[in-house]
Amino acid sequence: MRFVKVQTFDQWRVTARRLLTADVPPEQVAWMADDEQHSLFDSNDDTEFPATPTAFTVPKAFLELAKTVACHRAGTRWSLLYRTLWRLVRGERHLLQITTDDDVHELTTMRKAVTRDVHKMKAFVRFRKVIDSGDEEVYVAWHRPDHRIVRLAAPFFSRRFSGMKWSILTPDESVTWDQSSLRYGPGVPVSDAPDDDALEELWKTYYASIFNPARVKVDTMKREMPVRHWPTLPETSLIDDLLQAAPERVAAMVDQNEGFAETATHYMPERIDLESLRTAVGGCRACDLHRHATQPVFGEGSRDARIVLVGEQPGDREDLEGRPFVGSAGKLLDDALKRAGIRRNDVYLTNVVKHFKFTEATTSRGKRRLHQKPNAREVYACRPWLEAELALVQPVAILCLGATSSQALFGRDFQVSKHRGEIRATDWCERTMATWHPAAILRMPDDARKAQMHQQLIDDLRRINHPPPQN
């Protein structure tokens, strides 16, 4: 038995490569967590390993998965990763595609836990302004994540707050941004974090102004914003007062803007999972589109999908069949997916709006239902369904198809014609991109331009499917 102790993904990768070169099977390796005793590992002699590790390749998806799982706090992560790596290079090349495999399932579960924790860190970090020894303003935040995710989340903060000098302190590790580079250091106890600053009152005022009393679900709020994070969130001191005032504020909003309070939030089930959401959307009356559509069309695909494709709304065929992207636009999308090397079963397909909006007209081919673009009110009312889907799937990448979905995720000023193909971070995913909607390609009268847009859709699918570069 070999006793091995590693603390980071890079250390694990180097050690795993050497063990594979020495042909050491997983059952003969005891991977030790970094908080375990060190003496047994010291007994191993590194000179017994070959000087030059044998070269081998593994799917890129595994490296991406391993880098994320390495941040999980479970002590079993290193042995699980090595066992999976061993199987991949010993003939089970397509192991990761077998979602029912115990090892793959456990790795996927770990990845989701880490990814969810990264999202919470992005949402719950609150900087406080302090003056350092050089009389400069710096911003410091203390956060307690479930897993060792500082290195996964820090690049997001460097992009979002690139013009600030800041530090994020956690019990495991700290990171500092000096406006040009990230530096990592040891963990810091909460007692070393600053208490408050002048910006805190400003932040409370802002939070109170954006607090939407029409969307209050206390259980959901506590689930998404765990109470253990509340001590570091200044706005939580306002929540009791805001909740007490919510009914009165909702009544005032309805009086001032009829129908504003009606969003899909009112029709959310108590238990949030894809099946319960799919059932609940059938009762949604948040806007008038349900009155004329045949049925709602909810998202379709794996709960574990790496990529989510978001369209505008179901079309005529989708409305009749109750499934997204099954009409002519769906066939074009299927062709693009195939040519991009992506299986439809490997992505999650959904729309911003769940009901078909149309106008009836008599054409040369008889009476037809013609697509109408949903307005901002209808998109707003339906948005909670999409947000719930994205929160559950937690994709590695999102591809917005067309203007409506792009503006729903990037903001109303976003233009697909100008920013198509740009990869940006959003609240739901680090890799979010916009491209043409297949229906827009079908409607293009110019054949040359149509072919160009079709190829660009394929190229964008390939790019969004490509894993992010390794740091």
Side-chain angles (χ1 to χ4, degrees):
M1 178 65 72
R2 296 171 187 268
F3 295 91
V4 180
K5 181 175 182 178
V6 296
Q7 295 188 9
T8 67
F9 169 73
D10 290 337
Q11 291 174 348
W12 173 85
R13 184 167 57 179
V14 170
T15 305
R17 185 182 294 124
R18 298 174 72 183
L19 288 167
L20 280 174
T21 302
D23 204 29
V24 181
E27 57 271 19
Q28 292 183 14
V29 184
W31 295 87
M32 301 172 63
D34 46 13
D35 55 353
E36 293 181 274
Q37 295 298 315
H38 199 262
S39 57
L40 291 176
F41 176 59
D42 289 342
S43 66
N44 289 144
D45 183 1
D46 282 0
T47 59
E48 62 186 298
F49 291 112
T52 305
T54 302
F56 58 86
T57 60
V58 295
K60 292 181 179 179
F62 175 73
L63 289 178
E64 178 189 348
L65 176 66
K67 187 176 181 181
T68 302
V69 170
C71 297
H72 199 283
R73 196 174 293 278
T76 57
R77 63 193 186 282
W78 303 123
S79 58
L80 176 61
L81 285 172
Y82 183 62
R83 185 166 63 247
T84 306
L85 175 63
W86 175 273
R87 295 175 63 188
L88 284 170
V89 300
R90 289 295 190 280
E92 298 182 70
R93 187 71 179 175
H94 302 292
L95 174 62
L96 297 185
Q97 297 174 15
I98 307 173
T99 57
T100 55
D101 180 88
D102 288 344
D103 288 343
V104 174
H105 176 73
E106 188 173 354
L107 284 172
T108 304
T109 302
M110 284 185 171
R111 178 176 63 185
K112 285 185 177 297
V114 171
T115 304
R116 188 181 305 114
D117 205 29
V118 171
H119 281 285
K120 291 193 181 303
M121 183 170 177
K122 294 174 184 176
F124 300 145
V125 158
R126 298 287 183 271
F127 289 104
R128 291 182 164 92
K129 185 174 69 176
V130 298
I131 304 300
D132 67 8
S133 56
D135 206 28
E136 279 193 283
E137 289 183 354
V138 297
Y139 294 83
V140 181
W142 192 88
H143 183 69
R144 187 177 60 187
D146 290 334
H147 304 287
R148 300 171 185 273
I149 58 170
V150 170
R151 290 175 190 254
L152 289 181
F156 164 83
F157 290 98
S158 68
R159 294 192 299 272
R160 179 66 62 88
F161 305 108
S162 59
M164 295 167 38
K165 292 183 177 180
W166 53 258
S167 296
I168 300 177
L169 318 176
T170 79
D172 302 308
E173 192 173 24
S174 59
V175 57
T176 296
W177 170 254
D178 61 3
Q179 298 181 326
S180 63
S181 61
L182 292 167
R183 288 184 294 109
Y184 297 92
V188 176
V190 66
S191 57
D192 288 358
D195 292 330
D196 55 25
D197 66 359
L199 292 178
E200 200 146 299
E201 288 305 315
L202 185 61
W203 169 251
K204 289 180 181 178
T205 302
Y206 168 73
Y207 180 79
S209 70
I210 64 171
F211 184 85
N212 188 345
R215 299 182 65 180
V216 171
K217 275 183 171 288
V218 176
D219 290 342
T220 301
M221 180 175 65
K222 289 183 177 179
R223 184 168 56 249
E224 296 302 317
M225 187 168 66
V227 175
R228 63 185 176 79
H229 288 305
W230 287 27
T232 60
L233 303 177
E235 66 270 26
T236 54
S237 64
L238 304 174
I239 288 179
D240 285 344
D241 290 341
L242 291 171
L243 290 177
Q244 289 181 11
E248 185 177 344
R249 290 185 60 194
V250 169
M253 290 165 62
V254 173
D255 287 343
Q256 295 168 9
N257 193 343
E258 183 178 0
F260 180 79
E262 278 289 291
T263 73
T265 303
H266 288 209
Y267 302 91
M268 287 284 165
E270 287 297 325
R271 177 183 174 82
I272 303 294
D273 57 45
L274 290 178
E275 283 309 309
S276 60
L277 289 170
R278 189 188 311 279
T279 301
V281 76
C284 185
R285 301 291 183 268
C287 70
D288 288 338
L289 294 186
H290 72 278
R291 297 180 184 277
H292 308 290
T294 304
Q295 58 190 317
V297 180
F298 197 64
E300 179 180 277
S302 169
R303 166 75 169 77
D304 300 321
R306 293 177 54 251
I307 302 174
V308 170
L309 304 185
V310 185
E312 179 189 88
Q313 65 165 335
D316 183 77
R317 178 54 55 186
E318 287 81 6
D319 171 74
L320 297 174
E321 295 193 19
R323 295 180 56 207
F325 293 100
V326 293
S328 53
K331 288 181 172 56
L332 188 148
L333 179 61
D334 287 344
D335 173 74
L337 284 167
K338 183 177 180 180
R339 293 169 64 178
I342 303 172
R343 298 192 311 171
R344 178 169 170 134
N345 289 340
D346 290 338
V347 302
Y348 186 87
L349 292 163
T350 190
N351 288 295
V352 173
V353 173
K354 307 306 182 190
H355 285 99
F356 179 35
K357 182 177 182 179
F358 60 92
T359 181
E360 292 185 316
T362 301
T363 69
S364 58
R365 291 189 289 175
K367 196 171 185 179
R368 300 187 63 193
R369 301 191 302 175
L370 302 180
H371 162 274
Q372 272 194 316
K373 183 178 180 179
N375 60 37
R377 166 72 184 87
E378 291 153 352
V379 171
Y380 176 78
C382 211
R383 186 184 177 91
W385 297 116
L386 175 63
E387 291 179 339
E389 290 175 289
L390 294 176
L392 286 169
V393 178
Q394 297 189 5
V396 174
I398 298 174
L399 188 61
C400 302
L401 304 173
T404 300
S405 60
S406 302
Q407 292 175 356
L409 270 65
F410 291 118
R412 297 188 64 179
D413 294 333
F414 186 90
Q415 297 182 41
V416 178
S417 58
K418 289 185 177 180
H419 304 293
R420 182 199 60 79
E422 296 178 4
I423 294 179
R424 301 184 178 188
T426 60
D427 291 340
W428 300 274
C429 182
E430 289 289 321
R431 291 170 54 79
T432 307
M433 181 196 289
T435 190
W436 308 119
H437 194 290
I441 298 175
L442 290 174
R443 289 195 295 267
M444 174 56 60
D446 183 281
D447 288 341
R449 177 59 176 151
K450 178 184 291 187
Q452 182 188 42
M453 293 170 68
H454 192 178
Q455 185 58 51
Q456 288 172 337
L457 172 62
I458 296 168
D459 293 342
D460 290 340
L461 283 165
R462 287 177 176 145
R463 284 194 63 211
I464 204 69
N465 186 41
H466 195 276
Q470 304 294 316
N471 290 332

